[in-house]
Amino acid sequence: MQCCCAILRIVFFNYPGLYFYGMEEDVMYPSYMVILTTFVGLALVRRLSVDHRIGSKAVWILTCLYSSKLSMLFISSKPVVWVSAVLLLAVTPPLLLYKEKSQTGSKMKPWQGYAHAGVVALSVWFFRETIFEALQWWNGRAPSDGLLFGFCIALTGLACVPIVALHFSHVLSAKRCLVLVVATGLLFILLQPPIPVAWTYRSDIIRAARQSSDDISIYGFMASKPTWPSWLLIVAILLTLAAVTSIIPIKYVVELRTFYSLAIGIALGVYISAEYFLQAAVLHALIVVTMVCTSVFVVFTHFPSASSTKLLPWVFALLVALFPVTYLLEGQVRIKSILGDEVADLAEEDRKLTTLLAVEGARTSLLGLYAAIFMLIALEVKFELASLMREKALERGGIRHSQSSQSSSSNFAPRMRFMQQRRASTVPTFTIKRMAAEGAWMPAVGNVATIMCFAICLILNVNLTGGSNQAIFFLAPILLLLNQDSDFVAGFGDKQRYFPVTVAISAHLVLTSLYSIWEEIWHGNTGWGIEIGGPDWFFAVKNLAILILTFPSHILFNRFVWSCTKETNSSALITLPLNLPSIIISDIMKIRILGCLGIIYTIAQTLVSRQQYISGMKYI
């Protein structure tokens, strides 16, 4: 009876001519009637199920039919209720039909899971016109084939979540495939790659929406940007997800690891070349080689092979050598061709100026690309060194534990307490000394990558923001990626990891302050003042003197950060008033920032030294 009533409601909705005297337009129920009849029907189904008048299959079918009526609230097309009912019937069996079985521990068989997934995919394919209408209503225009295809894939993956979560939660490969399917759908939604016509099935509704002239009348003819490079980015991301989830076993097969790194490098190189450097054809080969070297270095650093420790330093050296070559080569051919020709007219001069600006923009993009590459390499090396130190610490901790178990119990507690206090400083030194057998090049490579990334970011700060005063506080933490290296930076360890950050901030502000003073004198007023002691001379002397007054606080704090030892006198507090003139009477903002920073450094040094003194007294 309930099923018949639900079917009759759907028939009346899809064929309004039965009771509206042959009118062809869509007629919908009022919203309150749709909601009221839906919840009344679900309540009746629940009551009949509790009274054991209908079975579980009838409850499942009626619940899906009544729930599908809610789609009438959003979309007015005739088949929306039918396709929604089919989709719910395909998705809900793990939740409703097999509910009792899943609670008692009985799971689907593999062939049943595959069959349900196939039915879900088929129902989503029948649901595609509804998805198209929903996207068209949301965007105000017909969605692209890539967007529609992405929503279909993502909906298929999400609809299979109940199957995997309730019946195949113990199967790791099912979870990985589900993540890959959902990620594929999201990538199609975000990137919207061009879909070949052979892959799409365009129904009458989709074809009529695509042939509408409203878009042309409203927006006019627009030159569309080529979107085929998005396929390369999708392939690269999916290969990375497949490798991370171990669907592609690159961890165990060296040959597969090689092909994987080459494929990722080529895909990303061609994508970057076609998307951001389309006019610079001479750069394409160099960018592809750069991305291949980066991919090979990162992959084989994370999963090293027998010969990778010998080859990876040369790969990094090639990557460093490509940076200046690529930067200098970019635009050199085009600039020579521009400057070599004679200017014919004003239009030709404007075209050459536009080309020069494009070359400068391409060089800035290259700087950003190489900054990201060196940052990735520095992070990878830092991660690998941290993992290596952790393994060495566990290994040495096991040796110490075995040795301490043989000693007397009376001496065990004081020795272990002393070793825990000294472990932070002894483990890095121990690791560096014994790293020669496992790749002593890693700290040096990480440090070079970190310094180059920091230097490029400073150049980008000048090019993009004109030298922002606050940028150094965001760029200096990059130097935390520096590693202990016994060859280049002697004495640099875990205790001194914050020293490069504070020194970089102080040095950058001092140098830029000196440059600001020089620029103000020689470019601000190029008159007689500097020659006979006029206002420019007074400006320079005053600001230089104020700048020098800020040095003591910064020198003492940086020395404290390097040594991490308590100051025995109150020299830090004595230097605090020297920063006040820079805040009050300075004409340059950077000198004022140095003064404020000097006061903060002095207070922080005093508080840390006091805390160390209190902790030492408690320990004694």
Side-chain angles (χ1 to χ4, degrees):
M1 183 64 181
Q2 295 288 333
C3 185
C4 292
C5 292
I7 293 176
L8 285 175
R9 289 190 185 93
I10 296 173
V11 169
F12 284 140
F13 170 71
N14 288 323
Y15 300 96
L18 294 176
Y19 54 93
F20 271 85
Y21 306 103
M23 294 176 66
E24 297 297 333
E25 64 272 9
D26 292 335
V27 178
M28 291 188 67
Y29 290 144
S31 298
Y32 70 92
M33 286 295 298
V34 175
I35 297 174
L36 180 63
T37 56
T38 299
F39 283 100
V40 169
L42 291 175
L44 291 176
V45 171
R46 175 66 178 173
R47 183 63 184 176
L48 293 174
S49 175
V50 171
D51 295 340
H52 299 286
R53 295 186 180 181
I54 57 177
S56 60
K57 294 183 179 179
V59 172
W60 165 54
I61 295 174
L62 289 174
T63 302
C64 293
L65 289 176
Y66 276 111
S67 301
S68 64
K69 288 172 54 181
L70 295 175
S71 59
M72 298 161 56
L73 298 172
F74 308 100
I75 300 177
S76 61
S77 62
K78 294 181 179 180
V80 63
V81 180
W82 286 111
V83 295
S84 301
V86 171
L87 183 61
L88 288 175
L89 288 172
V91 173
T92 54
L95 298 172
L96 300 177
L97 190 59
Y98 299 106
K99 186 176 182 181
E100 293 80 7
K101 292 184 179 181
S102 61
Q103 288 179 352
T104 57
S106 177
K107 305 292 184 181
M108 282 185 185
K109 295 180 180 180
W111 67 269
Q112 290 177 328
Y114 285 119
H116 276 283
V119 171
V120 167
L122 188 62
S123 63
V124 170
W125 179 249
F126 285 131
F127 196 70
R128 70 193 181 280
E129 292 185 0
T130 304
I131 297 175
F132 181 86
E133 293 184 9
L135 293 175
Q136 187 177 16
W137 170 79
W138 179 263
N139 294 327
R141 55 189 305 178
S144 63
D145 291 333
L147 184 62
L148 178 62
F149 196 47
F151 267 97
C152 291
I153 296 175
L155 183 59
T156 302
L158 294 176
C160 292
V161 169
I163 300 175
V164 176
L166 297 178
H167 297 274
F168 296 97
S169 58
H170 59 287
V171 181
L172 191 58
S173 60
K175 297 180 181 179
R176 292 170 177 172
C177 292
L178 188 62
V179 170
L180 207 61
V181 170
V182 175
T184 303
L186 293 177
L187 289 174
F188 272 82
I189 292 172
L190 295 175
L191 300 178
Q192 300 183 25
I195 304 296
V197 179
W199 291 16
T200 61
Y201 175 78
R202 300 186 177 181
S203 60
D204 295 337
I205 297 177
I206 298 177
R207 190 178 295 107
R210 295 286 170 79
Q211 291 177 352
S212 176
S213 60
D214 291 340
D215 289 345
I216 299 176
S217 62
I218 296 174
Y219 302 102
F221 291 96
M222 295 181 295
S224 60
K225 184 180 180 181
T227 56
W228 65 265
S230 57
W231 280 105
L232 299 172
L233 186 60
I234 291 175
V235 169
I237 296 176
L238 291 180
L239 285 176
T240 303
L241 287 176
V244 170
T245 56
S246 298
I247 295 178
I248 302 177
I250 64 172
K251 184 177 180 180
Y252 307 102
V253 183
V254 179
E255 292 79 7
L256 192 60
R257 198 180 313 157
T258 304
F259 286 113
Y260 166 79
S261 59
L262 291 177
I264 291 291
I266 293 174
L268 289 178
V270 176
Y271 169 76
I272 293 173
S273 300
E275 188 73 14
Y276 302 102
F277 301 97
L278 186 60
Q279 302 298 326
V282 70
L283 285 180
H284 293 175
L286 294 176
I287 291 176
V288 171
V289 174
T290 299
M291 296 309 300
V292 168
C293 292
T294 304
S295 177
V296 170
F297 184 90
V298 172
V299 171
F300 279 90
T301 301
H302 195 68
F303 299 113
S305 61
S307 59
S308 63
T309 55
K310 299 179 181 178
L311 297 178
L312 288 184
W314 295 102
V315 174
F316 180 76
L318 177 61
L319 187 62
V320 173
L322 284 173
F323 169 55
V325 173
T326 307
Y327 182 79
L328 295 176
L329 188 61
E330 161 52 21
Q332 200 67 24
V333 177
R334 285 188 284 174
I335 290 176
K336 286 185 178 180
S337 63
I338 292 173
L339 299 179
D341 298 336
E342 294 183 358
V343 178
D345 51 5
L346 186 60
E348 184 68 18
E349 185 178 355
D350 292 340
R351 185 188 66 82
K352 292 181 179 182
L353 179 60
T354 304
T355 305
L356 289 174
L357 293 176
V359 170
E360 189 64 26
R363 286 185 168 180
T364 304
S365 301
L366 275 178
L367 290 176
L369 174 63
Y370 275 95
I373 289 173
F374 289 126
M375 173 67 78
L376 177 62
I377 292 175
L379 286 171
E380 178 62 30
V381 171
K382 190 71 174 180
F383 174 78
E384 292 301 323
L385 289 177
S387 302
L388 183 59
M389 287 190 289
R390 195 180 305 114
E391 293 175 1
K392 293 294 184 181
L394 293 175
E395 179 184 353
R396 191 171 185 182
I399 296 174
R400 289 177 178 175
H401 181 72
S402 63
Q403 292 177 353
S404 61
S405 62
Q406 300 174 1
S407 62
S408 60
S409 59
S410 60
N411 296 329
F412 177 79
R415 289 185 179 180
M416 286 304 296
R417 183 167 61 247
F418 176 74
M419 296 306 292
Q420 287 177 357
Q421 295 172 357
R422 298 294 297 172
R423 180 172 297 177
S425 60
T426 56
V427 169
T429 305
F430 168 76
T431 304
I432 293 298
K433 290 181 180 179
R434 293 187 55 183
M435 198 179 289
E438 303 180 20
W441 51 267
M442 291 179 66
V445 166
N447 292 340
V448 172
T450 302
I451 293 173
M452 293 194 68
C453 176
F454 178 71
I456 294 174
C457 288
L458 290 179
I459 297 173
L460 287 174
N461 177 44
V462 175
N463 291 340
L464 298 178
T465 67
S468 174
N469 298 327
Q470 295 81 15
I472 186 61
F473 296 99
F474 299 97
L475 298 180
I478 295 175
L479 298 177
L480 290 174
L481 297 176
L482 290 173
N483 308 286
Q484 181 184 359
D485 187 3
S486 58
D487 296 331
F488 295 98
V489 186
F492 180 76
D494 186 65
K495 294 192 301 181
Q496 293 83 21
R497 62 182 179 273
Y498 295 108
F499 176 75
V501 178
T502 58
V503 167
I505 293 174
S506 300
H508 180 269
L509 290 176
V510 169
L511 293 177
T512 52
S513 299
L514 292 173
Y515 178 77
S516 298
I517 295 173
W518 176 83
E519 187 179 27
E520 182 68 22
I521 293 174
W522 293 103
H523 298 282
N525 183 14
T526 58
W528 47 265
I530 192 64
E531 298 177 359
I532 62 174
D536 288 340
W537 178 257
F538 176 76
F539 172 86
V541 172
K542 182 186 73 171
N543 287 281
L544 280 175
I546 294 174
L547 177 62
I548 293 173
L549 289 177
T550 62
F551 287 179
S553 297
H554 289 264
I555 293 173
L556 289 177
F557 182 77
N558 285 292
R559 189 178 65 179
F560 171 75
V561 173
W562 174 265
S563 61
C564 295
T565 57
K566 176 184 176 296
E567 294 289 339
T568 57
N569 51 24
S570 58
S571 57
L573 291 176
I574 295 175
T575 61
L576 190 144
L578 298 177
N579 298 285
L580 296 178
S582 62
I583 301 175
I584 298 173
I585 61 175
S586 177
D587 300 317
I588 298 176
M589 180 58 66
K590 296 181 177 65
I591 299 179
R592 294 180 181 178
I593 295 175
L594 275 171
C596 296
L597 199 60
I599 294 176
I600 296 173
Y601 282 171
T602 302
I603 296 174
Q605 181 178 350
T606 304
L607 294 177
V608 172
S609 298
R610 178 174 174 79
Q611 187 64 32
Q612 288 179 353
Y613 174 76
I614 295 174
S615 300
M617 293 299 294
K618 287 182 178 179
Y619 178 74
I620 294 174

